[in-house]
Amino acid sequence: MRKLLGGVLLAAGVGGLGYWGAKDQALDIESSIGLHAKTAVAGAVHGVQANVDGRDIRVSGLANSEAERAALISALNDVQGRRVVIDALEVLPMADPFTIAATRKNGQTLLQGNVPSEAMRAALRESGASGVEGLTLASGAPERWEAAIGGALGTLTQMQDGAASLTGTTMRLTGLVDTPSDRNALITALTLPEGYTLQDDIETRDDGTPIGFDVSYDAASGVTVAGKLPKGLDLAQIGEALGVDAVAGDPSLGIEGDPVAALGILSKLKGWLPELESAKLTLHSGPPAITGFAAPGVNAALVQQSMAQDFESDLELSLAGLGTLPQSGQERINAATGQAERFEFGAWLPKIVFTPSLSTCGAQTEKLLATTKINFLSGSADLGPRAVRAINAMASVLGRCVRDAGLIAELGGHTDNTGSGNFELSAARAQAVRNAMIARGIDGAALSAVGYGASKPIADNASEEGRAANRRTTVRWAQQ
């Protein structure tokens, strides 16, 4: 009996040891399978999980593609000791083409499109761009996609406004920069991975050419502007500076430069336009230059000399007289004065509308001489550089009054009280006006010239303003 009991106890002990030994071995096998399973899936794009139960492997998570799914399952099937591989993987949808677009406006970048992984989404968050959370996770990104989009985002940060789109391996850049050199610098700094291509559609605010423009004036048609204007200058400002409404042209506009000097020249030129038939102001890299033709009857050399003194700069100036005069009877609106004119007797005479009579003729000449003075060279009876416009206007009035109303006129010359020979000088000046009227078709028999010297002042000769007022021409009308 004792021998039987001892045998039973011995068998039980040996069985227990065998059970514990088998259990430890099973745990070791499970641990080994788990270690090898994790190694097999360690390279998965989206970090899949491989869990082991006994000798069974269950793989779950997101496979980047069917090809990756098949590779993962194959690698797990090669794990020694495994019994079955349970496939619980989901396959990430493919984007074809794989696309992402980055738009930058007012210094902020917005992303739209696809992202290849959550790790890349996290990296894009670090860029500070918005829209990262809305990117669609998808497969299909070409190799080195991360480097390509990183380069694009780096380029966009150097632009105030722009966009970069990456479609497959083709990158397209659009936007606006200051100059072509700025654009070239951006493109040069952008290094794309091998196999990627770039479409550069970046525009520039400035074409890179130097500031330089021409302003052409024609008394009949107005002003035309061509070339490249400095920043802050436009056609309206040019017209305002010249006092001309009709300004045409399609000049480009620079992003730098200062219009102050140009506006100063234009403002001075304004005062001389009534004496000019045409002119061209050239403002390029060298000294400013004006070339043109004096109006008919205007002394071109005298106007050029006076303009040179007026500008007081290194302006290059060249004026000439018209070679071919307009046809008699031709009419126009003078762009500088806005006055309707008719070409008669070798001069552009303004068309002044009134009904001639003794009273209206007196009123017209008084008004004319109050607003447009007939000036002479100092100490001379020669007409001054700006006298022709007043002479032409007076000829229009005197011609109507003599021909249509049958009146006669006395042309009076007056001086201040300085110097000597004032009566002789005033008489010579009155005669110079009479000669100019006769040259413009007025019957000399209806005109007389009288010099009054300083005998009839209208202001105090003690001041320069008073003396200037006393140096004048008068017209006195009478019936024949």
Side-chain angles (χ1 to χ4, degrees):
M1 186 68 180
R2 286 180 180 173
K3 290 182 178 180
L4 178 60
L5 181 59
V8 171
L9 291 173
L10 179 61
V14 171
L17 289 173
Y19 169 77
W20 289 109
K23 184 175 181 182
D24 287 344
Q25 185 180 15
L27 290 174
D28 289 342
I29 292 172
E30 183 179 50
S31 177
S32 176
I33 292 172
L35 179 62
H36 286 88
K38 288 180 181 180
T39 301
V41 300
V45 174
H46 302 287
V48 302
Q49 296 81 43
N51 298 311
V52 178
D53 184 8
R55 290 186 297 142
D56 297 337
I57 304 173
R58 186 177 188 277
V59 59
S60 61
L62 194 60
N64 195 56
S65 62
E66 287 291 352
E68 186 187 55
R69 179 182 194 171
L72 291 172
I73 297 301
S74 175
L76 291 172
N77 280 328
D78 290 340
V79 173
Q80 291 186 351
R82 61 94 186 148
R83 183 171 61 186
V84 295
V85 175
I86 303 169
D87 180 3
L89 290 170
E90 295 182 19
V91 178
L92 186 65
M94 174 175 283
D96 187 17
F98 196 90
T99 302
I100 188 170
T103 304
R104 188 167 180 82
K105 189 172 181 62
N106 298 325
Q108 178 63 42
T109 302
L110 171 66
L111 293 175
Q112 295 174 298
N114 304 122
V115 65
S117 67
E118 291 299 333
M120 191 61 209
R121 191 192 300 275
L124 291 175
R125 288 193 195 101
E126 296 298 320
S127 72
S130 61
V132 175
E133 305 307 324
L135 295 175
T136 301
L137 189 64
S139 64
E143 293 184 8
R144 302 195 66 188
W145 181 91
E146 294 84 355
I149 190 61
L153 291 177
T155 299
L156 282 182
T157 59
Q158 301 176 59
M159 303 169 64
Q160 184 66 21
D161 297 307
S165 62
L166 185 56
T167 303
T169 58
T170 300
M171 179 177 291
R172 181 171 180 259
L173 281 178
T174 61
L176 186 65
V177 296
D178 286 342
T179 66
S181 60
D182 293 330
R183 179 183 62 201
N184 294 339
L186 285 178
I187 300 306
T188 301
L190 175 61
T191 302
L192 291 177
E194 185 177 354
Y196 282 74
T197 58
L198 175 65
Q199 293 180 354
D200 166 23
D201 292 324
I202 297 176
E203 297 180 353
T204 61
R205 296 183 179 89
D206 190 289
D207 61 9
T209 59
I211 299 295
F213 62 101
D214 300 324
V215 179
S216 299
Y217 166 77
D218 183 89
S221 59
V223 172
T224 302
V225 182
K228 185 175 183 179
L229 302 179
K231 181 180 179 181
L233 186 63
D234 56 29
L235 297 185
Q237 287 177 302
I238 291 174
E240 183 178 356
L242 289 174
V244 177
D245 294 330
V247 181
D250 188 24
S252 60
L253 182 63
I255 61 171
E256 56 187 11
D258 187 352
V260 173
L263 287 171
I265 294 174
L266 291 167
S267 297
K268 285 190 175 182
L269 181 58
K270 172 185 177 180
W272 291 102
L273 290 184
E275 275 65 55
L276 303 178
E277 191 68 14
S278 64
K280 182 178 182 179
L281 169 63
T282 301
L283 292 166
H284 289 272
S285 57
I290 297 177
T291 58
F293 294 93
V298 172
N299 187 325
L302 181 58
V303 170
Q304 178 172 321
Q305 180 183 2
S306 299
M307 285 181 67
Q309 294 173 351
D310 189 18
F311 280 96
E312 296 180 345
S313 68
D314 57 353
L315 178 82
E316 296 178 357
L317 189 59
S318 177
L319 294 181
L322 277 179
T324 303
L325 295 179
Q327 283 189 332
S328 181
Q330 184 175 332
E331 296 186 354
R332 72 180 184 189
I333 302 295
N334 189 295
T337 63
Q339 178 70 57
E341 298 175 333
R342 180 182 176 88
F343 193 76
E344 296 180 295
F345 305 105
W348 285 104
L349 304 184
K351 297 174 68 176
I352 302 175
V353 180
F354 69 102
T355 302
S357 67
L358 187 61
S359 60
T360 58
C361 288
Q364 285 293 326
T365 52
E366 187 174 326
K367 174 182 177 183
L368 187 155
L369 292 170
T371 57
T372 309
K373 191 171 184 178
I374 300 175
N375 64 341
F376 296 86
L377 297 181
S378 179
S380 169
D382 293 333
L383 292 171
R386 287 191 170 103
V388 170
R389 68 177 88 173
I391 289 291
N392 289 343
M394 181 176 284
S396 292
V397 175
L398 266 63
R400 294 282 307 280
C401 293
V402 169
R403 288 190 298 268
D404 299 344
L407 301 178
I408 58 175
E410 176 201 272
L411 305 176
H414 302 264
T415 67
D416 58 34
N417 66 349
T418 61
S420 60
N422 287 328
F423 275 101
E424 293 81 359
L425 179 60
S426 64
R429 287 179 171 178
Q431 185 60 46
V433 175
R434 180 175 180 272
N435 292 341
M437 296 298 105
I438 294 172
R440 285 159 177 76
I442 302 173
D443 184 4
L447 303 175
S448 61
V450 178
Y452 289 97
S455 64
K456 294 187 175 184
I458 59 173
D460 188 350
N461 279 305
S463 67
E464 177 54 39
E465 293 78 7
R467 291 191 293 272
N470 289 331
R471 298 190 294 268
R472 69 196 189 280
T473 300
T474 58
V475 179
R476 188 171 64 174
W477 292 100
Q479 298 283 357
Q480 287 190 6

